[in-house]
Structures are given as C-alpha cells and as structure tokens.
C-alpha cells in the first residue's frame, strides 16, 4: 500500500465506464472545432490547430483505441453534416497528428523526440493532403501553376504601378519570382509542418498541465543545441550544393537548396538560444552592445544577400 506521505502522480487511469462519457464530450468539442474549421474562414485557421487536441486528450486519458473511435466518429458526423471531403482531409492532416501526440505523451516519450516525430509526420500528412486535394478536385499541376502565375502577375502589376520595381522589367521579375517559388515549395511545406507541429505540441502541453496531468518539460531554451548529426547533414548539403553548381546539375541544386532552407528556422532558433545563454552570463554592458550590433549587422548581410 502507498504511504500517506508518498506523493501521488496524476497519470492516466485505465479505461472505465467513464471512458464513454468523456469520449462523447471530446467528440462533441471536436465536432464544433471541425465545423468552425470548415465553415468559418478566419476562425477556422485557429480551430484547425485545436482540432487535434480532443483526440490527444482521449488517448492520454484512456488509450489509442478510444482515440481512433473518436476520430472516426467525428469524421463521419462532419461528413454527413458539413462536407465529406473537407472532413476527411481535416482528420487526415490534424486528427492523426493529435493521435500521435496523445500516444507519445501517454508513453512518456522524450519531448524532443515527440517534436521531431511530429514535424516528420506533419510534413507527410501535409503533402499527402495536398496530393489528395489535387486529385479529388481533378486539377493538374499545370493548372495550379497557371493559378499561381495569375496571382503573381496581379502582385507584379501592383508593384509596377506603385513604382516598386527598379532596374528590372516586370517580365524578368515575374520569371525570377516564379522560378524561386517553385524551387523551394518542398522546403516551404516542411517549414510549415514544423510550425504546425510546434503549435500543436505547445497547446497540448498547456492543456494537459491544465488538467493536472504529468507532462515532461522541454529543456531550458538556453540549452537548446543542434546535434552533430544535423550539423553534418547541413555540411554535406552545402558541399553537394557547391558541387552541383560547379557541374550545373539542376536537380541536385534544387534538392540541396531545399535542405539548406529547411535548416534555416532550426539554425535561427539554436542561434537565438546561444545568444540568450551568452546574454545571461556576460555582465559587461559594452560586450552586450557589441553582441546586439553583431546580430543586426549579420541579419542585414543575410537579407542583402538574399535580395
């Protein structure tokens, strides 16, 4: 038996008859969030990120089986009540991510592994959802390209009218922008997936702690560092990119460039983490001022190089 003074940990209890009641409540919340996500334009963006939370709570509270039952029930309700295609895509992109986070928290997986796995899964689901959407709509990639070209043309016309282009014609600018956009689409999708996974993780941690469940915390921000495997991955990508440019291998150039772009937010976060670590340990004010000027100057060089 447990001693009176021994602290109790609020871990998820085994499933019982209360499982059905809580699952029904979470299903109702998920249905409301799904309806808002599909029907309401602006609020739907926020509701989409919250859509995964009820399923994660069900899994953490009970088990994976109840989470799968819940997501199937919500998808069927939204399919008959709103739109079957939108319901399926919503559950595919965000609902499965909620199942993953809930199961990881239930199994007490390390936070960084949860985030890495969430980013990878989010990227796969996002790309899969995109392909399914294009297939269901009966569109071709040429039609999507034509749609973007039309949108880009409208933006360029606006810039020309406002005098935003200097030393370059509208057609040249349009060609450059289109080429750059198409070449970094994979990196943009992965970076967006990173954002989805991080937001989902942060909201879910807050919610579970609010419900007084034990959730492992991330390491202090100032201790975040990029491991040696990722460092060597970046080095190899840079070497291959330089090699591809020397021999004009266009496919390898695009692949390595996307890999380097994917590293950008990771390096920015780790760099800011190092800055915070140094800032808290350096007590000399002139050195702190030099640090600020060095960061501003570096950012100025980076943005000037990109232009």
């Amino acid at each position: 038996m447990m001693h009176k003074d021994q602290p109790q940990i609020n871990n998820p209890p085994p499933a019982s008859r209360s499982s059905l009641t809580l699952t029904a409540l979470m299903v109702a919340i998920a249905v409301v969030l799904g309806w808002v996500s599909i029907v309401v334009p602006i609020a739907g963006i926020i509701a989409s990120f919250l859509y995964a939370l009820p399923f994660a709570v069900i899994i953490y509270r009970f088990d994976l089986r109840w989470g799968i039952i819940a997501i199937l029930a919500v998808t069927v309700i939204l399919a008959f009540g709103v739109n079957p295609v939108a319901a399926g895509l919503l559950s595919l992109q965000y609902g499965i991510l909620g199942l993953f986070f809930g199961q990881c928290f239930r199994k007490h997986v390390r936070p960084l592994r949860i985030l890495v796995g969430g980013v990878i899964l989010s990227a796969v689901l996002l790309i899969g959802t995109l392909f399914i959407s294009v297939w269901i709509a009966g569109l071709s990639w040429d039609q999507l390209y034509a749609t973007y070209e039309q949108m880009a043309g409208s933006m360029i016309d606006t810039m020309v009218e406002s005098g935003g282009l200097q030393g370059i014609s509208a057609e040249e600018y349009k060609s450059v922008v289109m080429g750059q956009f198409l070449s970094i689409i994979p990196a943009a999708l992965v970076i967006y997936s990173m954002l989805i996974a991080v937001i989902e993780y942060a909201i879910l941690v807050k919610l579970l702690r609010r419900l007084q469940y034990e959730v492992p915390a991330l390491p202090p921000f100032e201790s975040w560092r990029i491991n040696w495997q990722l460092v060597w991955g970046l080095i190899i990508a840079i070497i291959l990119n330089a090699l591809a440019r020397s021999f004009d291998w266009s496919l390898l150039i695009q692949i390595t460039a996307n890999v380097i772009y994917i590293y950008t937010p990771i390096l920015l976060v780790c760099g800011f983490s190092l800055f915070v670590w140094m800032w808290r340990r350096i007590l000399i004010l002139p050195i702190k001022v030099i640090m600020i000027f060095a960061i501003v100057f570096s950012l100025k060089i980076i943005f000037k190089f990109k232009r």
Side-chain angles (χ1 to χ4, degrees), residues 128-274:
T129 303
L130 178 62
F131 275 92
I132 293 174
S133 301
V134 173
W135 177 72
I136 292 177
L139 299 176
S140 64
W141 295 109
D142 292 336
Q143 290 174 315
L144 292 178
Y145 179 87
T147 302
Y148 170 75
E149 189 175 19
Q150 183 179 2
M151 295 173 56
S154 301
M155 295 174 59
I156 292 172
D157 291 338
T158 303
M159 295 183 63
V160 172
E161 293 175 358
S162 61
L165 297 178
Q166 297 179 357
I168 185 173
S169 65
E171 291 299 326
E172 292 175 343
Y173 182 78
K174 182 178 180 180
S175 176
V176 172
V177 171
M178 292 294 293
Q180 290 180 347
F181 175 82
L182 293 175
S183 65
I184 64 171
I185 284 179
L189 292 176
V190 174
I191 293 173
Y192 180 66
S193 301
M194 290 182 183
L195 181 63
I196 293 176
V198 170
I199 293 177
E200 293 276 4
Y201 176 87
I203 296 176
L204 184 57
V205 167
K206 291 290 185 182
L207 177 62
L208 291 177
R209 288 178 178 170
R210 189 77 175 179
L211 296 175
Q212 298 182 348
Y213 290 126
E214 182 188 18
V215 179
L218 285 169
F221 178 71
E222 63 182 39
S223 66
W224 290 14
R225 299 291 183 270
I226 184 172
N227 59 25
W228 67 268
Q229 294 95 335
L230 290 177
V231 172
W232 273 107
L234 177 60
I235 293 174
I236 293 173
I238 294 174
I239 294 175
L240 291 178
N241 184 268
L243 183 65
R245 292 182 183 276
S246 300
F247 292 94
D248 197 20
W249 295 336
S250 58
L251 179 60
L252 185 58
I253 291 175
Q254 292 185 3
I255 294 175
T256 53
N258 276 273
V259 172
I260 295 172
Y261 275 118
I262 292 172
Y263 270 93
T264 302
I266 300 175
L267 294 176
L268 286 175
V269 171
C270 292
F272 188 66
S273 169
L274 178 61

Side-chain angles (χ1 to χ4, degrees), residues 59 95-105 113-115 117-118 121:
I59 294 176
I96 294 180
L97 193 61
L99 299 182
F100 170 79
F101 279 135
Q103 184 69 0
C104 287
F105 280 121
R113 291 186 178 180
I114 297 176
L115 276 176
L121 178 61

